[in-house]
Amino acid sequence: MASKVIFIVVLSISTLYHVSSKGQPKRLLVGSSDDRLQQMEKQLQNLTQTVHLLQEKVNENNRHIAFYATLTAHTTLGQQQTVEFDKVSTNIGGAYNGISGIFTVPVTGLYHFSTTMLQMTSANNQIHTQIMKNSIEIGRNFGNEHRSSGTMDVVVMAQKGDVVYVRHNNEVGTTQQTMHGFGYSSFSGFLIG
């Protein structure tokens, strides 16, 4: 706190004087003592507000955001159903919802997302998933053999308020496919910067 006050006072003083080409300080504020005092107070308020806004920006940029969640039970997914990775191990920043399976972007920036899925034994022996940002696919995955596993990673710019999630998408027409639970299927993401 003391360093902030010193910084503000130094900035305030530096705004009161301008160094001439001969190296001599020259007063910028003119008028009566009361006028100069009011001008200084106004400048100090403006500088304090600027410092506060810059500090908020620095804090926002240094914010750690990361999540990791797994699927606890085998889950049969309908067409375009969001996968609800319900066992949340990491949720720094609190932006991932383990009930809905949706990550809501808290800060605009560059993000990395990853999902791993293990396909369960089923009649069609297939599973298709997508990573979605809002309603647009940003990555896809496919498994077509008995208990096949796959991982997809994406790096994407996201705006504050965007939503990112994994959903089932079966392109061959079978409406239901099953994803293996017990922690074998997962969804994670973090802010790169």
Side-chain angles (χ1 to χ4, degrees):
M1 180 66 179
S3 62
K4 285 183 184 177
V5 172
I6 291 169
F7 175 73
I8 291 169
V9 169
V10 168
L11 279 177
S12 297
I13 292 170
S14 70
T15 62
L16 298 177
Y17 291 92
H18 170 72
V19 177
S20 70
S21 59
K22 296 179 182 176
Q24 297 297 319
K26 180 180 176 186
R27 248 181 129 80
L28 293 177
L29 296 175
V30 292
S32 70
S33 296
D34 289 340
D35 290 341
R36 286 193 303 266
L37 183 59
Q38 287 177 352
Q39 289 175 7
M40 287 175 58
E41 287 175 349
K42 180 70 171 167
Q43 287 180 340
L44 183 58
Q45 287 174 350
N46 290 340
L47 289 170
T48 302
Q49 184 179 15
T50 300
V51 168
H52 179 71
L53 292 172
L54 289 171
Q55 186 63 45
E56 284 181 350
K57 190 69 172 171
V58 167
N59 290 342
E60 183 176 284
N61 289 338
N62 289 335
R63 191 168 169 194
H64 297 289
I65 299 165
F67 74 95
Y68 174 74
T70 57
L71 191 64
T72 56
H74 303 329
T75 304
T76 300
L77 300 166
Q79 183 69 342
Q80 299 186 342
Q81 179 179 339
T82 300
V83 183
E84 298 164 359
F85 296 93
D86 56 330
K87 184 177 180 186
V88 182
S89 301
T90 302
N91 197 7
I92 300 169
Y96 178 75
N97 184 321
I99 296 170
S100 67
I102 294 174
F103 173 79
T104 303
V105 176
V107 175
T108 297
L110 185 65
Y111 286 82
H112 174 270
F113 296 100
S114 179
T115 186
T116 297
M117 54 103 189
L118 178 62
Q119 180 263 344
M120 277 293 291
T121 302
S122 64
N124 61 6
N125 289 327
Q126 296 182 10
I127 191 161
H128 300 74
T129 57
Q130 303 167 293
I131 296 180
M132 306 293 292
K133 183 179 85 169
N134 300 322
S135 59
I136 298 177
E137 176 188 292
I138 57 174
R140 64 173 50 194
N141 204 355
F142 171 69
N144 68 348
E145 293 185 18
H146 178 71
R147 291 208 165 107
S148 62
S149 180
T151 298
M152 68 175 142
D153 296 279
V154 295
V155 175
V156 64
M157 279 298 298
Q159 302 296 315
K160 182 176 181 177
D162 285 348
V163 292
V164 180
Y165 55 96
V166 176
R167 78 174 186 183
H168 173 245
N169 184 39
N170 186 359
E171 297 178 343
V172 295
T174 304
T175 57
Q176 293 184 336
Q177 296 176 334
T178 303
M179 184 179 288
H180 201 293
F182 301 128
Y184 287 98
S185 300
S186 64
F187 181 35
S188 64
F190 57 89
L191 174 65
I192 296 172

